[in-house]
Amino acid sequence: MNTFDIVIEICGSAGEGTISAGEILARFMSSQGYEIMSFDSYPAEIRGFGKCVAHTRVNLNPIYSPGKYADVLIALNDKHAISQLGFLKPDGILIYDNQPASFHEEDQSVAGMAEPGVTLYGIPLTQLAHEAAGNSRGRNMVSLGAMACLMEIPKDDFVTAIQNRYASKKQIIIDNNIDSFVLGYNWTGENIKKIDEYSFKGTEPAPPEDKLIINGNQSVARAAIDSNISFYAGYPITPATKIMEIMGKELPKTGGIMLQTEDEISAIGAVIGAGFGGKRAMTATSGPGFSLMTEFTGLAVMSEIPAVIVNSMRGGPCTGLPTKTEQSDFNIAVAGGHGDAPRIVLAPVDTTDCYEATALAFYLAEKYQTLVVLLLDFFLSNSIRNIDVPKPINPSFLSANIAPEPDQLNGYQRYRITGSGISPRTIPGTPDGMYFSTGLEHDENGRPAYDSDTHEKMTRKRFVKHGNALDEAPDVVISGDDGDLDIGVISWGSSAGAAREAVDAARAEGIKAASFSSIMISPFPEEKLKVFADRCNTLLVPELNFTGQFADFIINFLQRPVVKLNFVTGLPMASEDILEKMRELR
Amino acid sequence: MASNDHYVIAGNGPAGNAALNTLRKNDPESRITIISDESVGFYSKPRLCSYISGRIEEDELFIHEDLSFDNTRLRLGQHIQSIDPDQKIIFLSHMEKINYTKLIIASGSKPSPSPYMTQFMPYLKSITDFHEAKTHKQCIHDAQQFLVLGGDLVGFKFIDMLISMGKAATLILYPQAFWPFVLDSDMVDRITASLEPKGIRIMVNDRIQSIQDADGGYQVATLNHARNEIEEHYCDQVFAFSGMTPNIDFACKKGFDIDHGILVNEYLRTRFQDVYACGSCAQIFNPILKVYQTTIGWTNAETQGEIAALNLLGANQVTRLAPQKYFDLEGVKIKTSWWDDTDENPNPDGDF
């Protein structure tokens, strides 16, 4: 297998074009046929002087995690880049501005703080940007030019990528960006003696295919539109806002409505109302908003109304870390709120999954007449991948409501007890299909009923229905060795990619290992996990929360100990950290 | 109680590291920073040819000093732009200021390409540091026929290496390239007599007229002024070793007394309080001969680095000669420090 794996980070201050440069880099690499995974981190403040990092991993082969350490760090801001040096490989490359406006005091220069072994390339970024465009705004493009030259990347192809990025802008903006890039490229070629071994020369990526460059949020929004959603209600919150923005733009084109509500409680209320009316509806939020929504989620469960909530997790509790990733809403997603309120929870592991899981969420919500929570996280929402164009959604997913047969409308019982737990549902306006819908416990006709018999019967009905949804679960993904294993790594959500890569690396070191993940979290494919666990000497559960919420969840039915590996750094799960733990455990 | 001193050592060669060890031993609480142009750690330059030929592995080149002290900082790949000895500030080329309380300059020497060679630079390779050695290692193994220009001490190591590898070579010798001394005609004759039987062709002072790509190698035309003859050579690689010069650009125009190197007294102190210089970047006052003289060689550098550090800490030691002070250049014994009036037997295993 042809191997090539490089991680490039651009670190600057908000407003310096860090994220734009990262996006251009990622798109360019994709256009050349490389596999990419790109992830940005930025401050919670809208604009200011906070630290931004555009992180892009480039590979010839499929990649599943962003890579913890960078091979190349481009420093647009010394102060911020110093704090990023810990993530630069010991033999990495540092590209920095060697002609800032004034001398840095001791230890305030990123070049000065670089560890021995790091190759330093000083480029007069500011000076060249001024030369190219008359101001310093093009420093990001100058630095990209320098990097491209050092990495022996053809100049012209990159220029095209810049042109495409700014195609909708004024010509002068396009010209300034290209001029800055070209000057950075040429200056570096003429003045810098390359002394490192990193290069794209001869890497020979596969011919570029028709790829979709997309992040998790975009993937969810696209799938929602393709699933014929007609109503979206929400309140903006990082990292889910992008979904709302896309809905605001796209839904009206298909006759749909995007409603910005006064808060998240109102949003989920509106979504449940639309679901009651027979419309496919969704809201997207993050932890703080989801907490508010739990006031209402019970209604969707109790009155058996389809509703889809995307919860893109961020560091918590409370306002927490708005622009950092975490997987700490597992418990609230699976069991948050009051009462016995079973809901379906799906946790996609990558961008492609985001699309497929969203389509599945609408299908399940409609068919099982319940709440479906789609659990993303900041990393998954924002990380950009170049994926194959998703397959068209299964037509059966597009209309999943089980309506009553005409003869069932005679004495229609909305909540009739059935073997599957699913009661045929009429849409308001259906002749003879009227019924009471209430958040109170109710009998099969929907009339409030508080007797113990009814409550027990109806509770069981809701749980039977929930359990049956397991039949619709996507296959669990097991990757690694067959037979008995030293270590089985069980993961969920965005951590699954890192687990898979760690397992591959561990196997290369002679550790017999495999990874297990399931998109469907609730109901969970317990039996499949038990079969997997029986093959494993040790079970390792890496996740991005402090207590091991998922680990505790599976311990309940595995009835055996697992090794928890927990991080709350605000960073995506790193395969390197899982691998290190596996070495310890071998 | 931690010392408030911040000692800075400019240079990560034998002089700088000897100074570091001495400071570490005698003032363990102080903060020490080493600054080096090169991006790799302390290694043995004299062994670069052994590394290229494959006699030793890369790791064997490196001298692993203990830098685990919290208060020792190694700044590699960082270039000193200038020094303000009055303010005690070092300005690094990446635009960072470093304040010091005491400074040892041990920046060694750097290649000094002959001006007439400048136009041929794209064709010329050299072995002045680890990076170049690593870069050129494979092409040296692949090539059979070499043209070596200049000579100098590193160049002779290179010639020795080519002989040991069974390569063919022509050496165009420039006697003036042997800073800090010039080869006299007797020395040239003796070197020629030593090398020619080993298959090395020697030409003296011939000038390059042209170099052109040819059949994967180079076609080189040389002019012998004495005979007014042009000769054509084909070779696979052209290497140039045209001498060294003190690496002290950063000290120019900042008030240091400079002749060829930084002038220091016999205690290795510059004209500035708390600034010392040692090794091949320094010109040391010889109180007997009343002249400033330069030394080269590993042992000299180490000895001076130690003395500079001790004097910086308050001692008052006069620079002594290193026990090995002769360099064996193809049987020609060349002094690497020579101001005392003793006349020890030349050590044929001298270093540089």
Side-chain angles (χ1 to χ4, degrees):
Chain A
M1 183 188 282
N2 196 356
T3 58
F4 175 74
D5 193 9
I6 193 165
V7 174
I8 299 169
E9 279 192 342
I10 306 168
C11 180
S13 198
E16 284 190 312
T18 309
I19 305 300
S20 305
E23 186 194 331
I24 289 168
L25 175 66
R27 287 184 180 277
F28 166 74
M29 292 299 171
S30 176
S31 72
Q32 300 298 297
Y34 295 99
E35 296 283 335
I36 58 150
M37 183 182 278
S38 179
F39 173 59
D40 304 328
S41 63
Y42 45 83
E45 295 74 21
I46 302 299
R47 199 173 178 88
F49 302 102
K51 176 182 172 184
C52 291
V53 180
H55 175 110
T56 305
R57 184 178 176 192
V58 184
N59 202 303
L60 289 175
N61 302 301
I63 40 184
Y64 302 101
S65 76
K68 185 174 183 179
Y69 299 105
D71 299 283
V72 180
L73 173 61
I74 298 172
L76 297 179
N77 177 290
D78 280 62
K79 180 185 160 197
H80 295 316
I82 285 171
S83 64
Q84 201 62 20
L85 281 172
F87 295 98
L88 180 62
K89 287 182 182 169
D91 63 347
I93 292 171
L94 173 66
I95 297 170
Y96 67 97
D97 191 343
N98 66 354
Q99 294 296 320
S102 60
F103 271 87
H104 296 285
E105 292 301 321
E106 186 172 357
D107 293 345
Q108 302 298 310
S109 155
V110 66
M113 294 300 284
E115 288 293 320
V118 170
T119 303
L120 307 173
Y121 292 118
I123 312 285
L125 302 179
T126 309
Q127 210 174 78
L128 294 177
H130 272 276
E131 207 176 305
N135 60 55
S136 64
R137 291 168 67 183
R139 290 168 81 244
N140 58 345
M141 291 299 117
V142 174
S143 71
L144 274 188
M147 183 278 299
C149 179
L150 288 166
M151 299 288 108
E152 302 178 285
I153 296 168
K155 180 167 56 181
D156 293 344
D157 294 343
F158 218 120
V159 166
T160 305
I162 297 171
Q163 205 149 21
N164 291 342
R165 167 65 174 79
Y166 293 108
S168 62
K169 306 282 183 186
K170 290 179 184 167
Q171 191 59 40
I172 190 160
I173 294 174
I174 299 172
D175 292 344
N176 285 348
N177 278 286
I178 290 175
D179 290 349
S180 300
F181 173 86
V182 170
L183 191 57
Y185 195 104
N186 292 344
W187 187 94
T188 303
E190 289 160 12
N191 295 281
I192 298 289
K193 186 176 168 189
K194 181 174 168 63
I195 57 168
D196 65 89
E197 293 174 358
Y198 291 97
S199 174
F200 280 77
K201 208 173 180 177
T203 53
E204 295 176 6
E209 293 172 16
D210 188 17
K211 294 272 190 178
L212 198 58
I213 301 175
I214 196 168
N215 65 29
N217 279 347
Q218 291 166 329
S219 190
V220 166
R222 186 178 175 129
I225 299 287
D226 291 350
S227 296
N228 297 335
I229 182 177
S230 53
F231 181 73
Y232 178 96
Y235 185 81
I237 185 169
T238 303
T241 306
K242 188 73 187 172
I243 295 173
M244 186 170 170
E245 288 174 7
I246 297 171
M247 289 300 169
K249 196 174 164 189
E250 297 298 325
L251 266 181
K253 294 179 186 172
T254 58
I257 294 170
M258 192 284 282
L259 174 68
Q260 178 172 334
T261 53
E262 70 273 29
D263 61 25
E264 287 86 348
I265 302 174
S266 177
I268 184 62
V271 165
I272 293 170
F276 174 73
K279 299 295 183 185
R280 288 195 161 189
M282 178 176 88
T283 184
T285 187
S286 187
F290 193 79
S291 294
L292 293 173
M293 288 183 185
T294 55
E295 281 212 23
F296 239 139
T297 51
L299 176 62
V301 175
M302 179 63 102
S303 56
E304 303 193 42
I305 295 173
V308 174
I309 302 176
V310 178
N311 177 6
S312 182
M313 297 174 282
R314 66 189 208 185
C318 195
T319 317
L321 297 84
T323 57
K324 300 292 174 191
T325 202
E326 211 162 87
Q327 293 180 297
S328 49
D329 292 353
F330 181 91
N331 284 344
I332 194 174
V334 170
H338 60 279
D340 287 319
R343 79 290 307 267
I344 296 169
V345 179
L346 304 174
V349 305
D350 60 26
T351 316
T352 302
D353 269 0
C354 283
Y355 185 89
E356 292 170 0
T358 303
L360 179 64
F362 284 106
Y363 165 73
L364 294 176
E366 202 164 67
K367 178 173 177 182
Y368 291 87
Q369 303 164 23
T370 190
L371 170 70
V372 178
V373 179
L374 203 55
L375 263 186
L376 274 67
D377 57 43
F378 183 90
F379 166 65
L380 194 49
S381 280
N382 287 287
S383 65
I384 295 172
R385 298 278 308 266
N386 52 348
I387 61 172
D388 294 331
V389 175
K391 293 174 192 156
I393 294 171
N394 184 336
S396 68
F397 276 23
L398 298 177
S399 179
N401 185 48
I402 297 175
E405 296 297 329
D407 63 327
Q408 293 174 321
L409 290 174
N410 187 14
Y412 175 56
Q413 288 187 302
R414 165 69 183 90
Y415 299 101
R416 183 165 61 86
I417 303 293
T418 63
S420 66
I422 301 171
S423 312
R425 180 173 71 114
T426 57
I427 304 304
T430 306
D432 301 324
M434 290 177 292
Y435 63 93
F436 288 100
S437 181
T438 172
L440 295 168
E441 187 57 284
H442 44 265
D443 61 18
E444 290 178 83
N445 293 312
R447 291 181 187 280
Y450 313 130
D451 61 284
S452 55
D453 218 33
T454 300
H455 183 47
E456 192 174 344
K457 198 166 61 175
M458 297 309 280
T459 301
R460 179 171 293 111
K461 170 194 189 297
R462 293 187 286 266
F463 273 94
V464 165
K465 186 177 64 168
H466 176 257
N468 283 336
L470 189 59
D471 295 339
E472 316 264 8
D475 288 340
V476 299
V477 177
I478 298 174
S479 173
D481 290 313
D482 295 327
D484 291 341
L485 303 171
D486 300 325
I487 304 169
V489 184
I490 305 164
S491 58
W492 68 283
S494 72
S495 293
R500 184 169 174 174
E501 282 192 356
V503 161
D504 287 345
R507 291 171 66 205
E509 295 179 11
I511 299 174
K512 280 191 72 69
S515 61
F516 177 103
S517 65
S518 168
I519 290 172
M520 188 167 283
I521 298 294
S522 177
F524 194 82
E526 296 177 13
E527 291 309 315
K528 288 181 179 171
L529 181 58
K530 282 177 186 168
V531 171
F532 175 77
D534 285 346
R535 294 165 52 204
C536 305
N537 189 33
T538 302
L539 297 174
L540 175 64
V541 185
E543 57 186 316
L544 298 176
N545 56 61
F546 191 74
T547 55
Q549 296 177 15
F550 174 65
D552 289 338
F553 173 75
I554 61 172
I555 286 170
N556 278 334
F557 56 83
L558 285 178
Q559 292 297 306
R560 63 176 279 193
V562 304
V563 178
K564 295 179 179 179
L565 182 63
N566 303 97
F567 299 96
V568 284
T569 56
L571 300 171
M573 180 64 73
S575 62
E576 292 89 341
D577 291 332
I578 301 174
L579 177 61
E580 194 180 318
K581 191 68 182 176
M582 292 176 79
R583 288 180 182 135
E584 250 177 59
L585 295 171
R586 73 184 301 180
Chain B
M1 184 178 159
S3 158
N4 287 324
D5 275 318
H6 179 202
Y7 305 137
V8 174
I9 301 169
N12 191 32
N17 277 276
L20 169 70
N21 290 335
T22 306
L23 293 172
R24 196 74 296 145
K25 186 175 163 189
N26 292 283
D27 189 5
E29 299 300 319
S30 63
R31 182 159 79 98
I32 304 175
T33 298
I34 304 176
I35 304 169
S36 169
D37 284 344
E38 288 198 62
S39 55
V40 294
F42 182 32
Y43 66 94
S44 170
K45 276 193 180 176
R47 303 188 80 191
L48 283 177
C49 287
S50 299
Y51 159 67
I52 293 170
S53 68
R55 277 180 51 210
I56 62 169
E57 296 297 321
E58 180 175 319
D59 191 51
E60 293 176 81
L61 265 182
F62 288 89
I63 299 157
H64 300 290
E65 295 290 313
D66 182 6
L67 291 171
S68 58
F69 300 91
D70 287 343
N71 46 6
T72 299
R73 169 98 175 269
L74 187 54
R75 287 173 174 265
L76 296 183
Q78 301 189 21
H79 181 71
I80 298 177
Q81 187 180 78
S82 62
I83 296 170
D84 182 341
D86 295 319
Q87 300 294 319
K88 296 192 172 185
I89 297 174
I90 292 171
F91 297 90
L92 298 176
S93 61
H94 61 260
M95 302 285 281
E96 181 179 5
K97 294 189 284 189
I98 297 179
N99 296 289
Y100 65 86
T101 54
K102 296 181 181 183
L103 170 66
I104 294 176
I105 300 173
S107 50
S109 47
K110 62 177 183 178
S112 173
S114 169
Y116 101 88
M117 285 187 192
T118 310
Q119 60 180 309
F120 305 115
M121 288 307 278
Y123 298 97
L124 307 181
K125 295 184 174 71
S126 61
I127 304 291
T128 55
D129 57 29
F130 170 72
H131 169 68
E132 287 187 332
K134 190 166 184 174
T135 303
H136 301 323
K137 183 176 180 177
Q138 192 56 49
C139 80
I140 291 170
H141 279 264
D142 294 342
Q144 291 305 317
Q145 181 71 46
F146 290 79
L147 182 66
V148 180
L149 309 177
D152 82 19
L153 301 180
V154 183
F156 272 89
K157 281 272 187 189
F158 188 75
I159 289 284
D160 269 349
M161 178 198 75
L162 294 180
I163 293 169
S164 73
M165 295 171 77
K167 309 288 186 185
T170 296
L171 168 64
I172 303 181
L173 188 58
Y174 301 115
Q176 71 280 8
F178 286 78
W179 173 81
F181 49 85
V182 176
L183 298 182
D184 59 27
S185 58
D186 178 52
M187 288 171 169
V188 171
D189 290 344
R190 286 165 62 191
I191 289 167
T192 305
S194 168
L195 286 179
E196 283 193 335
K198 296 173 185 170
I200 305 297
R201 184 181 173 207
I202 307 289
M203 300 165 73
V204 181
N205 276 330
D206 286 29
R207 291 295 176 108
I208 303 289
Q209 294 296 106
S210 66
I211 303 180
Q212 291 178 326
D213 294 313
D215 299 332
Y218 304 100
Q219 194 69 35
V220 183
T222 58
L223 171 66
N224 183 299
H225 278 289
R227 296 193 302 276
N228 196 27
E229 286 176 3
I230 288 185
E231 189 175 336
E232 293 283 337
H233 311 257
Y234 174 81
C235 58
D236 298 313
Q237 295 293 344
V238 187
F239 276 81
F241 301 93
S242 54
M244 307 292 279
T245 190
N247 181 20
I248 53 167
D249 291 349
F250 54 82
C252 299
K253 299 180 185 174
K254 287 294 177 185
F256 284 95
D257 290 331
I258 291 174
D259 175 23
H260 198 64
I262 296 173
L263 301 185
V264 294
N265 64 16
E266 60 269 42
Y267 305 102
L268 302 179
R269 189 175 299 122
T270 67
R271 68 178 284 260
F272 292 103
Q273 185 75 18
D274 300 326
V275 182
Y276 295 75
C278 55
S280 58
C281 69
Q283 264 182 280
I284 305 168
F285 183 67
N286 180 338
I288 299 167
L289 302 177
K290 309 291 185 198
V291 292
Y292 286 91
Q293 293 175 312
T294 307
T295 67
I296 57 174
W298 190 279
T299 312
N300 286 335
E302 278 188 331
T303 306
Q304 290 169 25
E306 183 181 351
I307 290 171
L310 288 171
N311 289 348
L312 174 148
L313 292 171
N316 222 19
Q317 287 197 15
V318 174
T319 308
R320 297 290 175 195
L321 290 175
Q324 296 175 0
K325 56 184 191 294
Y326 285 86
F327 185 81
D328 178 10
L329 195 61
E330 294 306 319
V332 179
K333 309 297 187 253
I334 297 173
K335 277 189 175 184
T336 55
S337 61
W338 50 86
W339 61 75
D340 72 344
D341 50 4
T342 60
D343 190 18
E344 296 173 16
N345 290 329
N347 182 337
D349 297 324
D351 51 14
F352 69 92

